[in-house]
Amino acid sequence: MSIRTNENERFGSNLFHEKAMKQYISEGTLAVWRECVRTRTVLPEKIADDIADGMKRWALDKGATHYTHWFQPLNGETAEKHEGFLIPDGRDGFRMEFSRKELLQGEPDASSFPSGGLRSTFEARGYSAWDPTSYAFIKDKVLCIPTVFCTYSGEVLDKKTPLLRSGDALNRQAVRILRLLGDGQTESVTVNVGAEQEYFLIPKPLFQQREDLRLCGRTLFGADAPKKQELEDHYYGQIKPEITAFMQDLNEELWTLGICAKTEHNEVAPAQYEMAPFFSDANIANDQNQLTMEIMKRVADRHDLVCLLHEKPFAGVNGSGKHVNWSVGTDRGENLFSPGTTPADNTRFLLFLAAFIKGVDEYASLLRCSAAYAGNDQRLGGNEAPPAIISIFVGSELEAVIDSIIRDEPYVDQTDRFLTVGKDVLLQLSKDNTDRNRTSPVAFTGNKFEFRMPGSSQSIAMPVTYLNTILAQELKECADRLEGAEDRPQALRSLIREMLSEHRRILFNGNGYDQSWIAEAERRGLKNLRNTAETIPEFVNEKNVRLLTENGIYSLKEIESRNEIHLESYCGTTVIEARTLLEMIRKGIFGAVSAFLSSLGGDFYFEKELTKKAGSLGNDLLQAAEDLEEALAEYDAAADPEARLKIASEKLTARMAECRRIADLLEKIIDARFWPYPNYTQLMFTI
Ligand code: ADP
Ligand code: MG
């Protein structure tokens, strides 16, 4: 099975894309379907019948035996419940059934998915409904139909619906703006997203020996390996054959699903890698990223490896992020964040840029929120990931343009051309200048923004939803102003200038890893929400709630439920880690210390010293474990969620850190024969 021998045929061969649809569905039906997707109207019954029938025949031809509605509940995973096509027909016969009803709607029991209180007030039943904007696909002989997921009374229980809603909101406002700028042709605007996925690969037998990796996805202790990433020899290094074999296998699987896996390379940390797909429409990019994560894990398993998607599997080396490359384009193929080829394009570019800058400044806490969870707390703010402070990098050239606009002076570029907003000369940005600041959470990279805060394990739905919504809101305010203006060109100029002047503070081209940035950001009044616990309350601040409800992203109830889930999931993760750590200390580390102590004789000075050292660290560890246990008991007894959040984020994390500190010291002196867990050298340097 090699895609290289027959690329075109294999690519997308498990995806019911337009080419496949054409073979199973009449052109007339497809035309109606396309129009319904474009205008977001309900499919006529007959059309849905025909599509269901065509989809079934395609799936059966591909060897599928089951179908499922495939959705994205609020736990960040994907969910599926398989139904066989086969049903009895008459006394001895059977037939394969899949009708319009099964295509359009499912009724999975919602009661065991996170609902943040929505469930207690409503029926347990949940509804899944076909999302015709994302193609169906086959995975393991199962026809998977991408769907949205909601409660009986319509409250949304998934991550896809808000994403779709935010795309609609942005489309409405962007088209409005384009009309005001004299563009009578663009009919719709879509968001393009390319999500770079970082991950670790480690040998499966070693993974299985560590409960922390199995239960929490990261090591909860582990002394530094003698070698980490100081030689910078892994990034872009030669890829080892075992890893190449994994990557080839992964690519082939992704390609059959129509996921255009494009870039692959070694990342900074030992055993760390990256895969970047070619960008696509945001909804599809989101579906594809969810699938990519799943398939990475499965392919790794076949290679006797384990793919770790956690943000920080190992302390002391880089963690994994998921850079979300994001841009907005028209149905005519124009990128609205590209400076373009005419001065009029430049004005449009500057308006979109200014609106985005303003939006990020206004709603920084919401963006921060979209990447705040326990796993990402291990990574953000370290010297490898963007700091927890939201700022935007635009590069020195664009910054100079912005400053000249703010000063109301023409901008003179290197070739002595002038740029005045809304008039004359062309702004052409040199690509190098906007490309390479790796320390910024939001970076302009030529014709798109790269949001670097999201972590490697998370769904990109929420970050993209908020980016879309923020821009939609700002464009709406711009359109309201421009529609009422008497002198529109003048109004446009002052609008751009005003937005840039008032929100200049969010631009930062310097080194985000530098400690001085924290003080500088504080001086500028930018928030430094250092961790999830500090961020959670910001989600429901008045401004964010207004933004999300007024743009139709969430209802108030949906906001409350998401807030509750956010909090519960943070606490849940932290508590599981605390319990796992305790168990490993009690069942594994204490025994190792004792065995080591018994193995030491007392005749030599070094033996006496080691006995003293290990014994005293063992005592310290006992005390630290008891303190952690006490905090866990306190957590269990706490009545309200806020109190639990406080205990989890302050006491549990601090006490886990203390346990870890001592365990790591012990690991360093105890004879490897007695240490019950694979160490960092084995985990990261075996392959
Ligand atoms: P980097 O140098 O940042 O590591 P990569 O090539 O790894 O760059 O990834 C860049 C990602 O951005 C890819 O997924 C690519 O398809 C995506 N991308 C490129 N252009 C756009 C665009 N206009 N809109 C959205 N995503 C884009
Ligand atoms: Mg990359």
Side-chain angles (χ1 to χ4, degrees), residues 26 94 148 163 195 316 389 485 579 599 661 670 684:
S26 76
F94 65 86
V148 297
L163 176 62
I389 307 160
R579 290 195 205 121
S599 76
R661 186 186 66 78
I670 284 184
M684 286 187 273

Side-chain angles (χ1 to χ4, degrees), residues 192-196 263 274 276-279 325-327 335 436 438 447-448 450:
N192 288 316
V193 168
E196 299 165 49
T263 309
E274 179 183 299
F278 198 85
F279 67 90
N325 293 269
W326 174 88
S327 69
N335 179 341
R436 301 279 155 204
R438 295 278 148 187
N447 60 3
K448 61 183 160 75
E450 190 171 336

Side-chain angles (χ1 to χ4, degrees), residues 431-474:
K431 179 110 172 76
D432 306 351
N433 220 324
T434 60
D435 225 5
R436 301 279 155 204
N437 181 321
R438 295 278 148 187
T439 68
S440 180
V442 183
F444 181 67
T445 48
N447 60 3
K448 61 183 160 75
F449 282 93
E450 190 171 336
F451 185 30
R452 305 209 179 102
M453 224 170 219
S456 48
S457 70
Q458 77 173 101
S459 152
I460 59 169
M462 215 164 48
V464 176
T465 299
Y466 296 165
L467 288 168
N468 295 351
T469 309
I470 286 169
L471 185 61
Q473 172 65 25
E474 298 306 336

Side-chain angles (χ1 to χ4, degrees), residues 146-216:
T147 54
V148 297
F149 183 47
C150 61
T151 64
Y152 175 66
S153 42
E155 269 83 16
V156 165
L157 288 175
D158 73 350
K159 302 211 168 196
K160 183 193 261 273
T161 312
L163 176 62
L164 291 170
R165 289 172 173 171
S166 70
D168 287 348
L170 180 54
N171 174 44
R172 270 195 306 277
Q173 301 306 334
V175 170
R176 235 181 114 197
I177 282 285
L178 293 178
R179 290 284 177 276
L180 287 165
L181 295 179
D183 172 347
Q185 287 177 297
T186 297
E187 285 188 31
S188 65
V189 159
T190 48
V191 175
N192 288 316
V193 168
E196 299 165 49
Q197 178 71 51
E198 293 180 341
Y199 59 97
F200 281 81
L201 289 175
I202 60 166
K204 188 160 50 176
L206 298 179
F207 167 87
Q208 282 163 340
Q209 292 169 51
R210 291 201 58 136
E211 213 169 320
D212 46 5
L213 284 175
R214 280 189 285 129
L215 299 184
C216 312

Side-chain angles (χ1 to χ4, degrees), residues 563-564 567-568 571 635 638-648:
N563 195 40
E564 198 178 310
L567 200 152
E568 278 172 2
C571 291
Y635 174 90
D640 63 292
E642 277 72 28
R644 283 202 291 276
L645 177 65
K646 200 169 154 55
I647 298 169

Side-chain angles (χ1 to χ4, degrees), residues 32-53:
V32 181
W33 167 76
R34 270 186 223 111
E35 192 53 20
C36 289
V37 169
R38 197 181 67 79
T39 54
R40 304 218 179 246
T41 41
V42 181
L43 283 179
E45 290 191 354
K46 171 79 180 65
I47 301 295
D49 279 336
D50 290 352
I51 292 178
D53 181 63

